[in-house]
Amino acid sequence: MTSMDLIPAPNAVQWRAGGPGRLALDGDTRLDARPGTEGVARWLRTALGAATGLPLADGEGPRSILLRVSADVERELGPEGYRLSTDGSVEDVAVVVEGGSPAGVFWGAQTLRQLLGPDAYRRAPIGPAGQDRDVPMVTVEDSPRFRWRGLMLDVARHFLPKDDVLRYLDLLAAHKLNVFHFHLTDDQGWRIEIKRFPRLTEAGAWRSRTKWGHGASELWDETPHGGYYTQDDIREIVAYAAERHISVVPEIDIPGHSQAAIAAYPELGNTDVVDTASLSTRDSWGVSANVLAPTDTTLRFYEGVFEEVLDLFPAATSPFVHIGGDECLKDQWKQSPAAQARIKELGLADEDELQSWFIRHFDGWLTARGRRLIGWDEILEGGLAPGAAVSSWRGYAGGIAAARAGHDVVMCPEQQVYFDHRQAPGDDEPMPIGYVRTLEDVYRFEPVPPELAGTPASAHVLGTQANVWTEVMQDRTRVDYQVFPRLAAFAEVAWSALPAPAERDFADFDRRMAAHYRRLDALGVDYRPPGGPLPWQRRPGVLGRPIEGAPPIV
């Protein structure tokens, strides 16, 4: 284990004078948590205590681990920055973790876990419980490049049980990612309990069968599929994330991607052009033509939904609420006399402006309640609400336009960081989708495009996010395969001060991944091995949608 095995790469590592040395932690090592760090101490005692068998008793003492929030660190490294010292420079203290805030202390604790080696990621000691554990004697100073370092997980297409979601929060934390975008509703499923509208989960959370493979596949899984999170499940997920200094961004997709909701409550759809009472939760992929009707009934319904959502996702941990806004097909609005009357009544030019009116309504509604709206870059069409932020997914262009117009942006271009896209060419990749995006491709992803670099508009780039759409990921192991190891490369892009893409030292990153694969093994992650998928990870004969060639920069 060397200092440079750390992922993400820290800003600075200094070995103790005289060369590398080791410092032992043992049964007498205590955990001295100063004010503001009690939550970090609970996490450390749970994670490292389980893995090492060390009791890590509370309080001061020889060879203790000292946790504290430091105004000096905040001033020098920022609120998420930290300084970790394992060189014994403080009397009777083995390890000092100082952060600019409790979050900074937590990220420092994550680095300490890496320094202890891969076995620190297990749930029980694999050697004698309580045996001495040692760490290299170093000082690490570190801080993140971006304040939004996220992963979007789609649980609407394929439901992931609550415990799998909690596990992914731990995996985000282990990679110093701090935003969990929770895609809760779509055409294929509604995954959050709304008490005033029980049919959203009674009917909308379930589908009778599921397309197996890409939309053009002729294969079906005839097993009914579904599931949802109760309100107490959501509260647990949000609290679990908060303990790990992760913000949760709930997404309720409107006005498109709403067939599950319309199937549950047909009055939400365009009843004057389609028999919405005959609709069911969508069982195939692609974009549904069934979109919400632009009526007062729909507005009041979703205000009721968002009232419960805001109660479940408190502002302290979820300042942003995602409303989707993407891929809203407008054919039904063009055919609907009611929608056309609404356009005329509001003095709008066309259906794009009607969607903008829809988005602006909820921007004002959320703003009045102390939240910020964020949506996919289609919300730029027809005019964007003043306080709204944009998830730029179709490429960089939407984010560039939004940032230049003064809107905050999260860069998540599908050509670069959609992890449902395949990781290698060839037929061995299971249900191959999209462009080839290798580990090295992700490592060379740059969130700030040249058009914004060095300009005032670049300050509007909040950060970056990888997106995981689960149409062809039917369970946790498939999600793991698509996400890992690429999430490690993405985490370094989001956290570390890397040079320009062409100048990045991928060889060094790849070397450090040798240690990181052992961490992932200890965590039980079913990642894609460097040599390609294992036999049971392949899906021969199941149709995908591969796109050949290099992805365009758009």
Side-chain angles (χ1 to χ4, degrees), residues 11 21 48 92-93 96 125 134 172 183 189 247 250 252 289 316 386 447 518:
N11 292 343
L48 293 188
D92 291 333
V93 176
V96 179
D134 62 356
L172 293 188
H183 184 82
S247 297
I252 306 295
R518 293 177 60 204

Side-chain angles (χ1 to χ4, degrees), residues 252-533:
I252 306 295
D253 212 335
I254 55 174
H257 287 286
S258 298
Q259 183 168 322
I262 297 168
Y265 290 92
E267 65 271 21
L268 297 174
N270 294 283
T271 57
D272 53 352
V273 295
V274 65
D275 179 13
T276 56
S278 68
L279 294 176
S280 59
T281 302
R282 188 173 172 90
D283 58 12
S284 60
W285 315 127
V287 181
S288 172
N290 294 295
V291 303
L292 298 175
T295 64
D296 289 341
T297 296
T298 300
L299 296 182
R300 300 293 87 77
F301 182 95
Y302 274 88
E303 286 172 359
V305 168
F306 281 118
E307 282 177 4
E308 294 193 27
V309 167
L310 296 193
D311 180 61
L312 295 170
F313 296 88
T317 53
S318 301
F320 286 90
V321 175
H322 208 291
I323 51 73
D326 61 314
E327 297 180 324
C328 179
L329 300 182
K330 301 179 175 66
D331 295 344
Q332 290 184 1
W333 287 353
K334 291 176 181 177
Q335 300 165 18
S336 165
Q340 293 303 310
R342 191 64 142 174
I343 289 172
K344 184 176 180 181
E345 170 198 340
L346 296 169
L348 304 176
D350 53 23
E351 291 77 19
D352 284 345
E353 287 196 5
L354 184 61
Q355 176 169 341
S356 178
W357 164 81
F358 208 107
I359 301 302
R360 283 174 179 267
H361 174 86
F362 285 100
D363 179 72
W365 191 92
L366 290 167
T367 299
R369 289 156 180 80
R371 306 301 180 94
R372 290 191 64 189
L373 179 147
I374 185 168
W376 303 110
D377 55 54
E378 285 95 329
I379 67 173
L380 290 163
E381 297 167 2
L384 184 57
V390 169
S391 301
S392 188
W393 76 272
R394 290 181 293 182
Y396 290 105
I400 293 168
R404 286 174 172 168
H407 297 281
D408 288 339
V409 176
V410 176
M411 287 294 188
C412 49
E414 64 168 328
Q415 302 86 354
Q416 310 297 328
V417 287
Y418 267 33
F419 284 173
D420 47 314
H421 284 205
R422 58 198 172 127
Q423 302 183 64
D427 297 332
D428 281 347
E429 293 304 307
M431 304 185 201
I433 300 296
Y435 296 102
V436 172
R437 292 287 85 193
T438 65
L439 183 67
E440 182 172 357
D441 290 331
V442 174
Y443 190 68
R444 298 193 189 280
F445 164 62
E446 173 50 49
V448 180
E451 294 90 335
L452 295 181
T455 72
S458 66
H460 286 291
V461 179
L462 298 178
T464 184
Q465 176 175 293
N467 294 339
V468 184
W469 301 103
T470 61
E471 288 93 337
V472 298
M473 301 179 214
Q474 74 279 9
D475 56 28
R476 187 183 87 179
T477 60
R478 279 287 291 120
V479 175
D480 278 4
Y481 179 91
Q482 293 299 132
V483 171
F484 290 97
R486 293 185 293 186
L487 191 72
F490 175 80
E492 186 148 311
V493 168
W495 176 279
S496 304
L498 298 177
E503 299 169 8
R504 293 176 187 172
D505 190 350
F506 177 74
D508 178 71
F509 174 79
D510 200 36
R511 181 192 61 76
R512 285 181 282 126
M513 279 300 299
H516 202 65
Y517 285 121
R518 293 177 60 204
R519 298 179 193 122
L520 298 179
D521 287 333
L523 288 165
V525 176
D526 292 307
Y527 57 85
R528 181 189 187 276

Side-chain angles (χ1 to χ4, degrees), residues 107-384:
W107 305 130
Q110 291 289 351
T111 296
L112 174 61
R113 191 185 192 189
Q114 288 200 18
L115 292 172
L116 280 164
D119 289 346
Y121 289 82
R122 298 188 179 276
R123 295 186 182 182
I126 61 173
Q131 73 177 14
D132 289 3
R133 310 285 170 156
D134 62 356
V135 292
M137 299 177 70
V138 295
T139 297
V140 180
E141 289 192 349
D142 205 6
S143 59
R145 179 185 179 190
F146 292 110
R147 58 188 173 111
W148 185 301
R149 308 180 301 279
L151 180 79
M152 187 227 70
L153 184 60
D154 167 21
V155 297
R157 272 51 176 271
H158 277 102
F159 177 69
L160 283 179
K162 179 198 68 179
D163 285 352
D164 289 345
V165 174
L166 299 178
R167 172 179 177 267
Y168 257 83
L169 291 171
D170 280 328
L171 291 172
L172 293 188
H175 291 82
K176 298 187 175 73
L177 298 173
N178 68 342
V179 177
F180 178 58
H181 178 165
F182 205 7
H183 184 82
L184 288 163
T185 73
D186 217 294
D187 297 313
Q188 294 82 8
W190 184 284
R191 306 297 180 209
I192 178 172
E193 178 187 27
I194 302 297
K195 290 187 180 294
R196 74 187 71 182
F197 302 125
R199 282 191 55 78
L200 286 171
T201 45
E202 291 171 358
W206 305 92
R207 58 179 182 260
S208 61
R209 62 177 188 168
T210 298
K211 177 70 73 173
W212 182 238
H214 180 249
S217 169
E218 296 181 358
L219 302 177
W220 293 88
D221 180 348
E222 297 292 346
T223 306
H225 178 85
Y228 66 92
Y229 310 103
T230 68
Q231 294 205 348
D232 282 344
D233 289 339
I234 294 291
R235 292 186 180 97
E236 180 183 358
I237 289 167
V238 170
Y240 197 84
E243 288 177 350
R244 287 148 183 79
H245 300 276
I246 296 172
S247 297
V248 182
V249 180
E251 180 179 357
I252 306 295
D253 212 335
I254 55 174
H257 287 286
S258 298
Q259 183 168 322
I262 297 168
Y265 290 92
E267 65 271 21
L268 297 174
N270 294 283
T271 57
D272 53 352
V273 295
V274 65
D275 179 13
T276 56
S278 68
L279 294 176
S280 59
T281 302
R282 188 173 172 90
D283 58 12
S284 60
W285 315 127
V287 181
S288 172
N290 294 295
V291 303
L292 298 175
T295 64
D296 289 341
T297 296
T298 300
L299 296 182
R300 300 293 87 77
F301 182 95
Y302 274 88
E303 286 172 359
V305 168
F306 281 118
E307 282 177 4
E308 294 193 27
V309 167
L310 296 193
D311 180 61
L312 295 170
F313 296 88
T317 53
S318 301
F320 286 90
V321 175
H322 208 291
I323 51 73
D326 61 314
E327 297 180 324
C328 179
L329 300 182
K330 301 179 175 66
D331 295 344
Q332 290 184 1
W333 287 353
K334 291 176 181 177
Q335 300 165 18
S336 165
Q340 293 303 310
R342 191 64 142 174
I343 289 172
K344 184 176 180 181
E345 170 198 340
L346 296 169
L348 304 176
D350 53 23
E351 291 77 19
D352 284 345
E353 287 196 5
L354 184 61
Q355 176 169 341
S356 178
W357 164 81
F358 208 107
I359 301 302
R360 283 174 179 267
H361 174 86
F362 285 100
D363 179 72
W365 191 92
L366 290 167
T367 299
R369 289 156 180 80
R371 306 301 180 94
R372 290 191 64 189
L373 179 147
I374 185 168
W376 303 110
D377 55 54
E378 285 95 329
I379 67 173
L380 290 163
E381 297 167 2
L384 184 57

